């Protein structure tokens, strides 16, 4: 089906740790056979991660068809301290149905990879001082192009991560390091540049016109937004001087982007002129 799961038994895990200690191993590797699904899971005892972190200097590599994921010793220590329960599962999912926002950023030819470390009560997303090295196979549609990896946030923001192309077992991979898990995309540089240009153009073309009316005990601010970007919320700033004094903390913030007015009834002093920015 959609998922391929490799489960490391307690007995097998115990032997792994024993051999790693005996041979002073640099790496403990678990290879998950290629399955037909887009979600690959490696499940192992939580105690094994703790023992590798405490009793060896080894990294833990999970090798799958979607990615090779290598946790350094400090990352393993961070996982062992946060994980609850008997099992820890490392998940590598190739996202086959990206969100509309993700599609706009990464385009059609990208590889979108969702990485997770799951324990009994949630996720380990931050590895403290530890690092995880990730190697993603470069698909045919990206070979020969200038590529990069970007970390994708839910709000459409992205951060480019440094990395490089390497050859592993005759196949080209893109390798990068991260200190936390989330969604990552291997993309054509040109696609990301076009998205950046759209953001700049959208911000520039989004303007607001505001007006105010004063009545006894209140001042009502109304505004209209031009075309351009969808707005999630508005911030209202207030000052008693026209060009200064607005501060960095909003006087009022709307809960939604559909609100287009605000009635100020608080902290008003008779005879004082107030200026507002939206």
């Amino acid at each position: 089906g959609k998922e391929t799961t490799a489960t490391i038994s307690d007995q097998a895990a115990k032997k792994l740790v024993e051999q790693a200690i005996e041979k002073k191993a640099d790496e403990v590797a678990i290879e998950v056979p290629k399955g037909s699904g887009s979600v690959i899971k490696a499940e192992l005892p939580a105690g094994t991660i703790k023992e590798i972190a405490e009793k060896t200097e080894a990294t833990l590599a999970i090798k799958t068809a979607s990615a090779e994921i290598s946790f350094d010793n400090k990352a393993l220590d961070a996982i062992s301290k946060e994980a609850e329960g008997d099992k820890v599962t490392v998940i590598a999912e190739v996202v086959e149905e990206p969100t509309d926002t993700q599609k706009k950023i990464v385009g059609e030819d990208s590889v979108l990879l969702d990485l997770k470390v799951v324990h009994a009560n949630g996720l380990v997303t931050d590895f403290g001082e530890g690092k995880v090295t990730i190697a993603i196979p470069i698909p045919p549609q990206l070979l020969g192009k200038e590529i990069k990896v970007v970390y994708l946030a839910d709000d459409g923001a992205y951060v480019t991560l440094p990395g490089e192309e390497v050859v592993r077992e005759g196949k080209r991979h893109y390798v990068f390091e991260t200190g936390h898990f989330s969604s990552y995309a291997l993309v054509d540089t040109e696609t990301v540049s076009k998205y950046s240009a759209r953001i700049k153009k959208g911000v520039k073309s989004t303007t607001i016109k505001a007006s105010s009316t004063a009545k006894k005990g209140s001042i009502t601010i109304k505004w209209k937004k031009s075309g351009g970007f969808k707005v999630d919320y508005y911030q209202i700033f207030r000052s008693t001087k026209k060009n200064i004094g607005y501060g960095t903390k909003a006087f009022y913030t709307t809960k939604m982007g559909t609100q287009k007015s605000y009635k100020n009834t608080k902290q008003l002093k008779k005879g004082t002129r107030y200026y507002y920015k939206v």
Side-chain angles (χ1 to χ4, degrees):
K2 187 180 178 182
E3 297 184 359
T4 299
T5 302
T7 302
I8 311 303
S9 67
D10 291 344
Q11 185 177 2
K14 184 179 179 181
K15 289 182 179 179
L16 275 176
V17 174
E18 287 175 353
Q19 290 185 33
I21 295 171
E22 179 186 345
K23 297 182 179 182
K24 298 180 180 179
D26 293 325
E27 179 185 72
V28 174
I30 297 170
E31 188 168 342
V32 183
K34 184 177 181 180
S36 59
S38 59
V39 182
I40 299 175
K41 299 181 178 181
E43 183 183 271
L44 63 160
T48 301
I49 292 178
K50 184 177 181 180
E51 286 194 307
I52 295 174
E54 292 181 351
K55 297 180 180 180
T56 80
E57 297 295 325
T59 61
L60 174 63
I62 310 293
K63 300 183 178 183
T64 77
S66 303
E68 293 184 12
I69 308 161
S70 182
F71 301 87
D72 71 10
N73 208 259
K74 289 182 179 179
L76 295 176
D77 186 53
I79 294 171
S80 69
K81 288 177 179 176
E82 189 172 340
E84 299 179 17
D86 297 331
K87 299 290 183 181
V88 170
T89 304
V90 179
I91 303 175
E93 177 183 359
V94 176
V95 180
E96 296 180 332
E97 296 181 6
T99 65
D100 290 341
T101 300
Q102 290 171 337
K103 287 179 182 177
K104 288 178 182 177
I105 301 173
V106 303
E108 297 293 332
D109 293 335
S110 63
V111 177
L112 185 58
L113 189 65
D114 216 1
L115 300 175
K116 296 175 183 173
V117 174
V118 183
H119 60 93
N121 292 324
L123 304 174
V124 180
T125 57
D126 192 295
F127 305 116
E129 296 181 359
K131 293 291 182 183
V132 182
T133 302
I134 300 166
I136 303 176
I138 300 174
Q141 67 268 26
L142 290 177
L143 287 172
K145 295 183 178 181
E146 185 180 347
I147 57 178
K148 63 175 67 174
V149 162
V150 296
Y151 151 68
L152 301 175
D154 293 335
D155 62 0
Y158 69 91
V159 177
T160 302
L161 301 176
E164 62 178 349
E165 290 189 41
V166 301
V167 178
R168 292 190 174 187
E169 298 179 0
K171 294 182 179 180
R172 298 196 72 82
H173 290 70
Y174 194 85
V175 180
F176 66 100
E177 283 188 350
T178 181
H180 65 93
F181 267 5
S182 186
S183 294
Y184 297 92
L186 185 62
V187 299
D188 177 6
T189 303
E190 185 179 350
T191 300
V192 177
S193 298
K194 287 180 179 178
Y195 178 73
S196 297
R198 286 200 301 271
I199 289 177
K200 291 175 182 177
K201 184 178 179 181
V203 170
K204 191 174 181 179
S205 64
T206 305
T207 59
I208 297 172
K209 290 185 177 180
S211 61
S212 63
T213 54
K215 292 183 179 181
K216 186 176 180 180
S218 70
I219 299 173
T220 300
I221 315 300
K222 294 183 179 181
W223 59 89
K224 291 183 179 180
K225 184 185 81 69
S226 70
F229 276 178
K230 171 182 171 289
V231 172
D232 296 309
Y233 58 88
Y234 293 91
Q235 292 179 309
I236 315 299
F237 294 82
R238 192 183 80 166
S239 176
T240 56
K241 297 181 181 180
K242 187 174 182 179
N243 297 317
I244 59 172
Y246 293 93
T248 57
K249 185 178 180 181
F251 185 76
Y252 174 78
T253 302
T254 69
K255 292 182 179 180
M256 300 172 63
T258 54
Q259 183 176 336
K260 298 294 173 63
S261 66
Y262 164 62
K263 189 174 183 179
N264 182 192
T265 58
K266 297 180 179 180
Q267 301 177 33
L268 293 173
K269 187 177 179 180
K270 186 178 179 180
T272 300
R273 184 185 296 271
Y274 295 96
Y275 297 88
Y276 296 85
K277 284 186 178 182
V278 184

